[in-house]
Amino acid sequence: DAKANAPGSARFYVQRLGEQVRRRQIMERDLRDAIDQGQLSLAFQPKIDLSSWRVTGFEALMRWRHPEHGNIPPGEFIPIAEDCGLIPSLGEWALNEACRCATRWPAELTLAVNLSPVQLMAQNIVGLVQAALTSSGLQAQRLELEITESVFIQENRTTVRQLRALHDLGVRIALDDFGTGYSSLAYLRRFPFDTLKIDRAFVRELLVSRDARAIVRNIVALAKSLRMTTVAEGVEEPAQVLVLDGEGCDQIQGFLAARPMPAEDIRAFLRNWREQRPDVPTGFQPGV
Ligand code: C2E
Ligand code: MG
Ligand code: MG
Ligand code: MG
């Protein structure tokens, strides 16, 4: 009966749900072997300093190319990895691979690696970071670890202790996706973040919403008074750069400067950026 299977019918939704459950089972099964099968890779996206329009460093973002299903976005497979206990090995792989790549870049460039809250709870992350730095030879000062606010949802002593120990290694800590998650500011006092990344949601609304602009202005002011560097995520339009610079934001990241790229492309990207300073928005004078 066609009607019983039509979109909106109960059977339609049950079928869709069944497909999603099946896809998830497949993902979970195949993710276990993804590292060994060489299906994982890293893409790197630059961060740009607004006072000089120079590249300050790159964030490493995990990519999974499934042999049958193609590219699976990290927004889909990271939560699965967190649920089924695979995030520690995925995270360890990403950390080592990213550090290894970064040692081939000019020494002034930083590397940012995302950490899952689960890694801070379940892993001796301090030992892993130390090992990754030692085996790659990357200086601790060049490494920044990005974590989201969700790390503080359950107040956890292990988490805060590990963050402090990481900080003591000389590694910098960034608060990722700021403003979207857990809405308490108390943890900004409990832990000394070095960097605050303003979530893409605010940047997206920046040119059309006075409220979004007011929020960005106040996030920047808050960060400045706590001596944190601010990075605006998801910058796609030149006009957003002008507003962000006007509000005192330090750095930008987003498709305007570059999409995440494979490690092999970084050298050419940097040369091109240095020689042509591409995409300086009209009317924007860095450092003025
Ligand atoms: P994130 O750490 O906030 O990374 C930024 C995400 O925004 C990336 O998505 C990036 O490709 C995307 N992005 C950057 N600029 C723009 C822009 O101008 N417009 C739009 N629309 N998007 C932009 P991606 O690579 O899909 O990663 C999604 C999330 O997955 C990351 O968000 C991070 O939370 C997580 N993730 C990625 N790699 C790792 C990893 O190695 N470990 C962990 N634990 N999480 C990771
Ligand atoms: Mg991040
Ligand atoms: Mg983010
Ligand atoms: Mg995000």
Side-chain angles (χ1 to χ4, degrees):
D1 178 6
K3 210 171 177 186
N5 288 318
S9 70
R11 192 180 295 171
F12 176 79
Y13 285 113
V14 169
Q15 268 173 10
R16 286 284 298 275
L17 200 62
E19 285 161 25
Q20 281 167 20
V21 169
R22 235 178 346 267
R23 182 176 163 95
R24 204 193 146 92
Q25 285 168 344
I26 292 170
M27 298 292 136
E28 193 175 320
R29 184 197 65 200
D30 296 348
L31 198 49
R32 291 183 192 281
D33 300 321
I35 300 177
D36 294 340
Q37 306 280 328
Q39 294 165 8
L40 294 180
S41 63
L42 293 176
F44 295 89
Q45 189 181 37
K47 299 180 189 181
I48 312 298
D49 177 56
L50 283 179
S51 64
S52 64
W53 202 245
R54 289 213 178 109
V55 177
T56 63
F58 291 85
E59 176 179 1
L61 295 156
M62 225 188 282
R63 297 290 176 260
W64 179 23
R65 191 171 182 84
H66 189 283
E68 291 135 51
H69 300 272
N71 292 324
I72 318 285
E76 185 175 351
F77 72 80
I78 296 283
I80 295 174
E82 288 175 337
D83 285 353
C84 65
L86 289 172
I87 197 71
S89 44
L90 255 60
E92 186 175 354
W93 174 83
L95 187 65
N96 282 292
E97 177 72 10
C99 288
R100 211 173 53 76
C101 289
T103 53
R104 287 185 244 119
W105 308 342
E108 71 274 13
L109 296 181
T110 60
L111 164 70
V113 177
N114 292 285
L115 276 193
S116 159
V118 178
Q119 288 180 271
L120 282 165
M121 304 262 277
Q123 245 175 341
N124 170 14
I125 197 72
V126 183
L128 289 182
V129 169
Q130 209 155 24
L133 291 171
T134 305
S135 71
S136 65
L138 192 77
Q139 290 169 293
Q141 291 70 24
R142 292 181 63 190
L143 180 63
E144 183 160 65
L145 299 168
E146 299 191 1
I147 53 157
T148 62
E149 295 164 284
S150 65
V151 77
F152 294 106
I153 285 176
Q154 309 148 287
E155 178 62 64
N156 185 297
R157 262 189 260 116
T158 312
T159 301
V160 177
R161 187 161 31 78
Q162 294 227 76
L163 282 175
R164 287 190 193 285
L166 286 171
H167 209 238
D168 291 343
L169 288 181
V171 166
R172 281 184 295 173
I173 313 286
L175 188 50
D176 205 349
D177 304 344
F178 183 75
T180 52
Y182 179 58
S183 54
S184 162
L185 297 176
Y187 55 76
L188 291 179
R189 281 184 52 229
R190 281 202 296 277
F191 186 78
F193 291 96
D194 302 283
T195 302
L196 195 153
K197 300 190 76 177
I198 303 168
D199 193 78
R200 178 153 60 89
F202 304 116
V203 175
R204 195 169 44 215
E205 300 289 306
L206 201 55
L207 302 175
V208 291
S209 158
R210 289 174 61 184
D211 293 348
R213 186 165 175 164
I215 289 169
V216 167
R217 173 176 307 149
N218 285 284
I219 291 177
V220 170
L222 176 70
K224 284 234 183 311
S225 61
L226 296 173
R227 294 167 301 281
M228 293 187 272
T229 301
T230 46
V231 181
E233 304 192 84
V235 176
E236 297 182 356
E237 296 173 50
Q240 291 168 334
V241 174
L242 295 169
V243 174
L244 289 163
D245 184 56
E247 300 298 354
C249 185
D250 298 310
Q251 298 179 19
I252 59 156
Q253 190 178 354
F255 294 170
L256 175 76
R259 287 181 182 259
M261 66 189 83
E264 310 84 87
D265 292 359
I266 287 181
R267 198 170 287 275
F269 169 79
L270 288 172
R271 192 184 325 118
N272 190 51
W273 189 270
R274 211 171 36 240
E275 286 166 10
Q276 323 214 344
R277 302 186 18 124
D279 297 314
V280 177
T282 320
F284 175 61
Q285 294 171 283
V288 175

